[in-house]
Amino acid sequence: MPTETDKLALDNLNFDNRFIRELPGDPEPDNFRRQVYNACYSWAPPTPAKQPRLLAYAREVAEDLELSAETCESADFCQVFAGSRLAKGMEAYAMCYGGHQFGQWAGQLGDGRAINLGEVVNSRGQHYALQLKGAGLTPYSRSADGLAVLRSSVREFLCSEAMHHLGVPTTRALSVMLTGKQVVRDMFYDGNPQIEAGAVVCRVAPSFIRFGNFQIFTARDDLDSLKKLVDYTIRTDFPALGEPSIPVYLSWFEEVCRKTAEMIVHWQRVGFVHGVMNTDNMSILGLTIDYGPYGWLENYDPDWTPNTTDAQGRRYRFGNQPKIAYWNLVQLANALYPLIKRAESLQQALLAYTETFDKGWQAMMAAKLGLLAFEPAEDDALVNELLQLLQAAETDMSLFYRQLADIDLSQESDAVRQFLAMLQQTSYEPLSDEVIERATIWFETYQTRSQRDSRPQPERRAAMNAVNPKYVLRNYLAQLAIDQAEQGDFSLVRDLLDLLRHPYAEQADKESFAAKRPDWAKQRAGCSMLSCSS
Ligand code: AMP
Ligand code: MG
């Protein structure tokens, strides 16, 4: 049982629940599935956990919330963040939103298994919204159960923190708890339901508002609520833009376009594939949100999608993410149109996406290659050929860029030999003669191009290592941690969290975590194939 001092720590958090205070709520106090109109949220108390148990927590997120390690290891922390007790100041609600799923308007979706607990303000005045994922039914649960299982919760917990430490904008994760409940899931929707362990992640972000929160009001012709939500978002999350007005709506939308573009550039840099870029999974702050059937590129393949539900159309494949983000922004523009009524201005604002993405992508590719700047006349061809080569050779993306930094380009004669050996070592298949020939030509072009920058090797290497991570959450590593956690051993989850705190550093004793995908993982469920069932 929680002691009184434990309780005090969480009851002393300072809450300022702006979202529910300032926006229209659903008057219905009871928690049952329904369509909710003219409201941004509905009340939704978490379902108490049966036997809550701490699986892991992120101390950096706890520090943001000014929670001590002692508090995070207390019984009360476990109760509160598994959904069994609301601390003082917490108010539990689920948000109403809609969305386009796989390109089709899907109507009302909403927080079907996310329950917001309110917004903590720390002593520096920073606001953090807290949200439990998997803590039971809400009015938006549709035909599902409101729960989440261990494997998907560990994946969300680890990946949000890994992305943060990689420098990718993301929602964060404070904790992952086992609930002691059993949850039935048919992982591949193929008539094989299994019993899995229930779990709850506590997510943390300045705001959880998605594109779909705006879309739902426009779809229902509820312009009054749309305006309230837009004005609220600008005032709380984009205060520098000034008081809401039509020109401010436009500059706000433009800013959302820029932030989204920056996020996608980061995804392409680290080899992250979201897997379900529906408009309800797009944060208005340009944060990576809703970690479901995501994956990390191993062999570089722009056509790869980790999501088996997406296997047919491959809409959410790695190479398509920049286009889909744009498509999603067009849907957001459509949702804002009734408020702005200037189609051309919205079109114009969308250009901010294309421009930010194109410039950002070029700068990112130059940085990955250790070049001082991207010079389109030459570098377009250089980069395109490299990406084709990596695809043809089935080269591990993370290992390749990391090891490219180690090759001293001034070693005229030996550098090509070193490069070819490295390419073979980081590839999943033996290099064909054709690949070897193309790789030789590519490398010599790259060598000449790089030498023009006259960058000393140690500087080039350090600059490349600052953008090319050594450690990412390889699909099979997450799966190994899950396998062990399902057996009651949480140490690998915690070790991976620790490893991924410093993704760009050489960690001498952790080399094995930077290894190529082992053969057993190539076709294993959870490693290369994932579904929305979570
Ligand atoms: P996702 O594809 O995970 O982003 O989810 C799409 C919609 O389905 C969202 O409205 C989720 O809240 C809802 N959803 C997903 N899984 C569940 C679940 N187990 N219980 C209730 N709602 C869910
Ligand atoms: Mg979602």
Side-chain angles (χ1 to χ4, degrees):
M1 284 310 286
T3 66
E4 281 310 306
T5 34
D6 281 353
K7 258 195 185 162
L8 255 177
L10 292 176
D11 285 341
N12 271 340
L13 283 169
N14 180 25
F15 279 90
D16 177 19
N17 302 334
R18 301 174 298 190
F19 188 88
I20 51 170
R21 192 177 60 235
E22 294 179 26
L23 289 166
D26 174 6
E28 172 62 57
D30 291 338
N31 189 10
F32 60 92
R33 299 168 163 104
R34 60 186 180 270
Q35 292 290 308
V36 174
Y37 296 96
N38 309 108
C40 291
Y41 65 92
S42 306
W43 301 115
T47 305
K50 207 167 155 201
Q51 202 174 25
R53 190 166 163 212
L54 176 73
L55 204 159
Y57 74 94
R59 62 165 186 262
E60 297 84 354
V61 182
E63 279 161 18
D64 288 341
L65 300 171
E66 295 167 344
L67 295 173
S68 67
E70 205 184 344
T71 300
C72 296
E73 280 152 28
S74 70
D76 191 47
F77 182 82
C78 201
Q79 294 281 334
V80 168
F81 293 107
S84 294
R85 179 178 94 83
L86 291 181
K88 208 171 130 207
M90 285 181 175
E91 295 176 278
Y93 60 94
M95 290 186 190
C96 181
Y97 55 78
H100 282 87
Q101 298 185 312
F102 296 91
Q104 305 294 326
W105 176 246
Q108 177 180 301
L109 297 167
D111 287 332
R113 57 166 166 178
I115 294 179
N116 299 273
L117 300 175
E119 299 162 59
V120 171
V121 189
N122 69 13
S123 63
R124 279 163 287 164
Q126 295 161 315
H127 277 247
Y128 295 100
L130 308 182
Q131 187 176 81
L132 300 183
K133 184 168 175 179
L137 292 170
T138 78
Y140 307 97
S141 298
R142 299 180 293 155
S143 59
D145 57 9
L147 304 175
V149 293
L150 182 153
R151 69 183 147 82
S152 57
S153 305
V154 165
R155 282 169 50 82
E156 170 134 21
F157 174 78
L158 282 178
C159 201
S160 357
E161 289 310 288
M163 293 283 267
H164 167 76
H165 295 297
L166 282 165
V168 185
T170 178
T171 61
R172 304 290 302 275
L174 169 66
S175 55
V176 51
M177 304 288 178
L178 289 173
T179 60
K181 253 189 221 154
Q182 295 191 326
V183 177
V184 177
R185 284 289 181 270
D186 184 354
M187 204 197 308
F188 290 108
Y189 309 110
D190 60 359
N192 272 311
Q194 304 278 326
I195 291 180
E196 300 190 44
V200 172
V201 171
C202 178
R203 309 198 277 201
V204 179
S207 160
F208 286 101
I209 297 175
R210 304 142 188 270
F211 292 6
N213 291 68
F214 303 94
Q215 288 184 284
I216 189 74
F217 293 130
T218 310
R220 290 170 164 174
D221 208 18
D222 175 5
L223 303 187
D224 189 38
S225 302
L226 174 69
K227 183 171 184 324
K228 283 183 179 143
L229 183 63
V230 170
D231 291 357
Y232 170 84
T233 305
I234 292 173
R235 288 192 179 114
T236 46
D237 295 311
F238 298 82
L241 298 176
E243 266 302 285
S245 65
I246 288 180
V248 169
Y249 293 156
L250 280 165
S251 45
W252 167 63
F253 177 63
E254 212 176 283
E255 185 66 12
V256 175
C257 288
R258 273 194 288 270
K259 282 185 185 288
T260 305
E262 284 161 11
M263 171 184 80
I264 303 287
V265 170
H266 280 293
W267 289 4
Q268 305 307 98
R269 171 174 66 87
V270 298
F272 174 79
V273 193
H274 183 286
V276 211
M277 289 176 71
N278 293 333
T279 56
D280 54 305
N281 290 339
M282 298 292 293
S283 139
I284 202 68
L285 299 182
L287 305 174
T288 314
I289 191 171
D290 272 11
Y291 291 89
Y294 68 82
W296 293 81
L297 281 190
E298 289 154 346
N299 50 303
Y300 180 81
D301 180 2
D303 294 330
W304 186 66
T305 173
N307 184 357
T308 50
T309 319
D310 187 33
Q312 281 290 310
R314 294 187 182 262
R315 179 179 173 85
Y316 297 141
R317 63 190 184 272
F318 178 72
N320 214 31
Q321 297 190 124
K323 273 199 197 132
I324 292 292
Y326 182 84
W327 190 90
N328 288 341
L329 284 162
V330 171
Q331 306 318 311
L332 179 61
N334 287 337
L336 301 177
Y337 176 77
L339 217 56
I340 299 175
K341 296 208 179 87
R342 294 184 195 168
E344 263 181 35
S345 308
L346 280 164
Q347 282 289 354
Q348 192 65 29
L350 277 163
L351 289 178
Y353 175 83
T354 321
E355 275 166 24
T356 310
F357 180 79
D358 288 350
K359 280 211 184 93
W361 191 82
Q362 292 183 343
M364 176 273 281
M365 284 310 303
K368 282 185 87 68
L369 291 173
L371 303 173
L372 286 173
F374 190 90
E375 289 165 16
E378 227 170 314
D379 299 344
D380 264 334
L382 184 77
V383 166
N384 286 340
E385 173 61 6
L386 173 65
L387 296 181
Q388 283 181 33
L389 201 57
L390 295 182
Q391 188 175 5
E394 297 191 35
T395 309
D396 189 280
M397 173 177 162
S398 307
L399 290 178
F400 174 83
Y401 288 105
R402 191 73 188 186
Q403 295 185 23
L404 184 62
D406 293 335
I407 298 175
D408 184 349
L409 303 175
S410 62
Q411 308 268 303
E412 287 294 343
S413 55
D414 203 41
V416 180
R417 193 194 54 77
Q418 279 180 40
F419 175 74
L420 291 174
M422 179 278 270
L423 187 66
Q424 179 59 82
Q425 234 174 49
T426 55
S427 295
Y428 287 92
E429 295 295 332
L431 303 182
S432 66
D433 290 345
E434 192 212 323
V435 164
I436 293 174
E437 196 179 317
R438 277 173 69 182
T440 308
I441 298 171
W442 180 83
F443 183 75
E444 285 166 357
T445 316
Y446 168 64
Q447 199 175 14
T448 316
R449 167 68 184 87
S450 299
Q451 281 169 345
R452 259 206 345 258
D453 283 352
S454 310
R455 220 172 186 188
Q457 168 59 12
E459 183 195 307
R460 169 180 168 269
R461 181 172 182 273
M464 288 174 77
N465 285 354
V467 295
N468 296 321
K470 169 128 183 176
Y471 301 103
V472 294
L473 184 58
R474 289 177 176 274
N475 310 314
Y476 79 90
L477 291 176
Q479 189 56 43
L480 286 176
I482 290 164
D483 290 345
Q484 293 189 13
E486 281 174 341
Q487 301 304 311
D489 176 1
F490 309 148
S491 55
L492 190 52
V493 174
R494 295 170 188 177
D495 288 351
L496 285 180
L497 174 64
D498 212 33
L499 172 85
L500 297 167
R501 285 192 162 108
H502 305 286
Y504 301 101
E506 295 291 332
Q507 302 183 45
D509 51 335
K510 309 269 176 65
E511 276 300 312
S512 64
F513 291 116
K516 267 198 278 191
R517 172 197 65 217
D519 282 343
W520 62 261
K522 196 166 179 188
Q523 298 299 339
R524 216 199 117 178
C527 297
S528 58
M529 293 177 293
L530 294 136
S531 78
C532 289
S533 166
S534 56

